[in-house]
Amino acid sequence: MSHRLLLVDDEPFNLELMTELLEAAGYETLCAESGEQAWEILQQQGSSLSTVLLDKMMPGLNGFDVLKRIKNTPELNFLPVIMQTAINSPASVQEGMEAGAFYYLTKPFSRDMLLAVVKAAHSHWDRHQAFRELAKQHLDALAQLQQAEFRLRTLKEAQTVTALLARTCTQPEKVATGLFELMVNAVEHGNLAISYEEKTRLQAEGDWESELERRQHDPVLGQREVSISFVREPDRFSFTIQDMGEGFDWQQYEDCPAASLMASHGRGILIARKLSFDQVEYQGKGNCVVARVQRQR
């Protein structure tokens, strides 16, 4: 799948540098030198974009103003936005996170960090688009499903179950995005015992996929299962996901750590909470999570 990126910065040099690095990596780019120009492009061509790289500080319509407009527009609110800022402060990142920016770049940034964060953002978009297409399939009988339970071990199985269960809801592509993120956490961090730090290191060393494959075939770890149960309640849909791992101190992740917004991964819970579900609640030792979404009348 080709990816078309919108780059927004009031400094021509920054636009030129990002364009050169991203186009060399195979991306197609559009550029805007102001928030006003960016918003005009988004209104006209937003459906053809997969990611926006948005400078925070610009005269006139600033980055936060553009971000808020994107998140308040139904046709654009799933579009990943990478905020660029020279201010590396938790308060600034928290402000952007609350407005809907799940990806951050602090200037000056390296080529590798730029490409890693862009890849994470467009991967999020690819998954959303894939689930959106699956949601169009004629599986109307699932709208009558009252409850179900599945067990799985692999990410491929998780994707299949996600696509199926999301069809029970009135906004399947919205639910699917967060549901899959929670299943990925259960498989990778729960059953396969890959910590956040390990994943960061493996991705940096280029060994992530091979290590994931190795653990998937481990005689102990590879046999662990994730259970997913679905219940249609009078006023909401509930999904319970439980893995066989050791759990984690979920209370530390009630709010997404600012640092993870500047990394290539680690924002799955945030996406589930902010984009997909009305409530995400971890229970016990952290290897069980219940996600709920209100039924639309």
Side-chain angles (χ1 to χ4, degrees), residues 16-133:
E16 183 178 348
L17 177 61
M18 287 192 296
T19 297
E20 181 179 341
L21 292 174
L22 291 167
E23 290 189 350
Y27 296 102
E28 180 183 350
T29 64
L30 283 174
C31 292
E33 295 187 5
S34 68
E36 290 81 4
Q37 185 183 6
W39 182 240
E40 184 177 343
I41 292 172
L42 284 161
Q43 288 178 297
Q44 295 174 355
Q45 305 181 53
S47 62
S48 70
L49 301 171
S50 59
T51 301
V52 179
L53 284 91
L54 183 59
D55 188 31
K56 177 184 174 183
M57 302 299 294
M58 295 184 292
L61 193 67
N62 65 34
F64 277 135
D65 294 333
V66 176
L67 174 62
K68 289 174 183 176
R69 290 189 182 188
I70 290 172
K71 297 305 171 181
N72 287 326
T73 303
E75 296 80 11
L76 300 174
N77 63 6
F78 264 88
L79 186 61
V81 176
I82 301 171
M83 289 294 286
Q84 306 169 59
T85 178
I87 305 173
N88 185 8
S89 73
S92 176
V93 173
Q94 182 70 24
E95 184 182 8
M97 181 183 73
E98 291 299 326
F102 299 158
Y103 304 86
Y104 253 85
L105 279 172
T106 303
K107 298 178 180 179
F109 46 79
S110 67
R111 170 189 173 277
D112 289 345
M113 180 54 69
L114 172 66
L115 296 182
V117 173
V118 167
K119 181 179 179 181
H122 76 63
S123 293
H124 167 197
W125 181 245
D126 286 349
R127 285 195 298 272
H128 175 256
Q129 292 298 91
F131 289 130
R132 187 176 182 181
E133 290 303 311

Side-chain angles (χ1 to χ4, degrees), residues 25 84 127 139 144 148 154 170-171 180 188 229 236 238 245 277:
Q84 306 169 59
R127 285 195 298 272
L139 299 172
Q144 311 307 318
T154 69
T170 49
Q171 294 182 289
F180 183 69
E188 294 181 352
S229 63
R236 64 190 181 185
S238 293
F277 297 105

Side-chain angles (χ1 to χ4, degrees), residues 180-222:
F180 183 69
E181 292 288 350
L182 295 178
M183 288 193 196
V184 168
N185 284 347
V187 172
E188 294 181 352
H189 302 305
N191 285 355
L192 300 183
I194 302 172
S195 69
Y196 176 88
E197 292 75 17
E198 283 180 303
K199 185 170 182 177
T200 300
R201 176 180 58 79
L202 290 165
Q203 286 186 335
E205 295 172 353
D207 295 329
W208 166 240
E209 292 184 2
S210 60
E211 178 62 15
L212 191 63
E213 183 76 8
R214 187 189 71 79
R215 296 199 190 196
Q216 201 75 72
H217 289 89
D218 183 273
V220 176
L221 298 179

